[in-house]
């Protein structure tokens, strides 16, 4: 099962993140992000249920956000969980992921 999937109940441009993004989900997450890297539309991550995130997954999000923004495309985290906020702060990635302006 993919750790991130399009959620038709939320919208086609929204990727719902599972509660657990451990190292064992990193390859599947990478593939999901790779498929969306060149999308012209806004890519949004529904992150309210995320409880555990491995450093590898956080690094993938950082690279994804960096590369999309360099290409002029937007990324947004919707309702980032406290776990995501804490992990990003610990690694100094809050600004890159633009979590400070996201509403919990």
């Amino acid at each position: 099962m993919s750790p991130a999937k399009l959620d038709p109940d939320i919208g086609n441009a929204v990727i719902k993140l599972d509660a657990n993004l451990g190292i064992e989900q990193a390859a599947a997450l990478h593939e999901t992000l790779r498929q969306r890297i060149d999308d012209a539309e806004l890519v949004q991550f529904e992150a309210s249920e995320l409880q555990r995130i491995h450093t590898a997954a956080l690094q993938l999000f950082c690279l994804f956000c960096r590369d999309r923004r360099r290409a002029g495309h937007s990324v947004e985290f919707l309702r980032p969980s406290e776990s995501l906020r804490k992990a990003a702060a610990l690694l100094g990635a809050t600004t890159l992921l633009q979590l400070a302006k996201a509403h919990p």
Side-chain angles (χ1 to χ4, degrees):
M1 182 166 147
S2 175
K5 55 199 161 295
L6 291 176
D7 189 333
D9 293 333
I10 299 173
N12 286 338
V14 178
I15 298 171
K16 184 171 175 48
L17 301 178
D18 286 349
N20 179 19
L21 289 180
I23 189 70
E24 57 279 357
Q25 285 86 23
L29 177 62
H30 179 264
E31 180 59 23
T32 298
L33 297 178
R34 188 191 65 73
Q35 292 174 8
R36 300 301 302 255
I37 193 72
D38 294 321
D39 284 2
E41 67 183 30
L42 170 67
V43 173
Q44 296 175 304
F45 295 103
E46 164 46 60
S48 63
E49 294 180 18
L50 185 61
Q51 295 301 310
R52 179 178 165 259
I53 184 165
H54 190 276
T55 304
L58 194 57
Q59 290 172 333
L60 288 172
F61 285 125
C62 287
L63 294 172
F64 181 79
C65 290
R66 181 200 66 193
D67 292 348
R68 280 191 52 84
R69 290 190 182 114
R70 280 186 182 166
H73 303 305
S74 298
V75 178
E76 185 177 271
F77 284 85
L78 303 173
R79 296 172 292 283
S81 68
E82 188 63 24
S83 296
L84 176 57
R85 288 178 181 276
K86 285 180 179 179
L90 185 65
L91 294 177
T94 300
T95 300
L96 178 61
L97 299 178
Q98 295 185 347
L99 296 179
K101 68 180 189 177
H103 299 291

